[in-house]
Structures are given as C-alpha cells and as structure tokens.
Amino acid sequence: MDLSIQNTSLVATLTLCGYLISLCAKTPNPNPTKSNVKDRIALVTDTSKPSQFLLLFIFYHCVLILFPNDRTSFCLNADLLNEDLFTWSPTSIAFVVTIFIAAPIRLLAYATLGKNFTFRLNKPKNLVTSGMYAYVQHPSYTTLFLINVASAFFWMRLDGISACYLPSFLVKVKGLNWVAGLAMSVFTTLGLWVRVKDEEGMLKNEFGQYWIEYHRKTKRFIPGIV
C-alpha cells in the first residue's frame, strides 16, 4: 500500500469530487407527484438518488491508486492502465478543477432557486432573476454538462478502471477511449436542450412578458456569450 503524500492527496481530492458530484446528482427538493407541465425527459430526471455506480467507480479508482504494485491481483489489464488517471497529472488536475468550479456553482443554483428547484419540471411560484440568475438563465444546466462530460472522460475511459474488466483488445483500440466521453457529451447536450426548451416554454406561459424581457436581456448558459 502506497500512502505517499501524492497518492493520499489524490485519493482525498477525488473522494471530495465524488461527494460534490453526488450532491449535484440529488434533487434539493422532492419532485412533484403530479404535474401538467410538458417535460419530455421526466423519466431521466425523476430521481433523487445519486448513482451507486459512481460510488463504486470512486472506490475502485482509489484502490488502484493506493495499491500500484498489486494491481494485477484485482485488475485484468493492469499493464494497460493510463497512469495519468491515477497520479497527479494534467489530466487529473483538469478533472479536479472542472468539478471544483462547476459543482459549487450548481449547488449555489440550488440555494438561489430554493423550493423552485426540482429535477422534474414544475411551475415555480416566482421567476428568480437575482444572484447569478441576473446574468444567466440556466447556470445549473451549464455546470451539469461540465460535470457529466468531465466524469465521462475521466472515469469512463477504457484505459481507466474499465481496463480492469474489459478484454485487452478493446482497451488497445486507438481512439476508443474517447467514445464514452463523446457519447456522454452528445447525450447530455441533447437531453439538456430538450429540457431547456420545455422549461422556457413553461416559464413563458407562466410569466408572459416579464419572462420575455428577462430572456431577452440575459444569456442562456454563459454570461455575455451564449
């Protein structure tokens, strides 16, 4: 077992990242039991529990970090693991920085919207235009996209922990490492765009001209840009 400062600090940091991600994956308020609002991705979002797979991924990843000399005992293709994912490297640092920036912003969106924030669409009691919402309409969706994509490119790569249970010929295929990340990027983009259109339609019907003016003055995802 390697308890060097580098390894223990990385394990602690990745564990914190996992905790933040799990908070972002849990709805801050109960979803409405009945809602007549159009919500085409309700089945995907109608949950309040973080993925158990995430917890398993984090634990397994940390074990591989702490036991670098014993990986062959519990990893099928230990020799094919990308060390950039199991040490402090530009790859792991980029992942950590993304989570440390995106997750707090999403959690701040939870706090700002208060009871209005549910994973399943429901008519809000009021249109919140203060705080970060004075500059951007959907900060929680922007940060959710970043969290999902960063997690996919870091934890779902074939030369990561997936190499421990996949056939070696798959792990060796060049370019296949990016498939999971790209697939998650496309899936997340499509899902969020559908949600945004449904949510904006609901807000327009509910708040009329007030929402139209707010929508005209602010950007959707990134302040001052888009």
Side-chain angles (χ1 to χ4, degrees), residues 38 53 63 67 70 75 81 93 143 176 179 194 219 225:
K38 182 180 179 181
F53 286 107
V63 169
F67 294 89
D70 303 304
C75 182
L81 293 175
I93 291 173
T143 51
L176 201 56
V179 171
V194 170
K219 296 298 183 180
I225 299 177

Side-chain angles (χ1 to χ4, degrees), residues 111-148:
T112 303
L113 290 185
K115 296 295 183 180
N116 285 333
F117 201 118
T118 55
F119 280 9
R120 192 167 191 175
L121 283 183
N122 193 33
K123 292 181 180 180
K125 295 180 179 180
N126 60 299
L127 182 64
V128 176
T129 59
S130 60
M132 68 176 74
Y133 287 91
Y135 308 98
V136 63
Q137 299 165 32
H138 306 289
S140 65
Y141 293 157
T142 304
T143 51
L144 179 62
F145 174 83
L146 293 174
I147 291 169
N148 284 355

Side-chain angles (χ1 to χ4, degrees), residues 18-56:
Y19 175 69
L20 290 172
I21 293 171
S22 68
L23 290 179
C24 292
K26 184 177 182 180
T27 179
N29 299 294
N31 285 317
T33 55
K34 293 182 180 180
S35 177
N36 58 359
V37 176
K38 182 180 179 181
D39 189 353
R40 288 172 287 179
I41 62 170
L43 291 178
V44 178
T45 60
D46 195 10
T47 179
S48 61
K49 296 181 180 179
S51 172
Q52 299 301 314
F53 286 107
L54 172 63
L55 302 178
L56 179 61

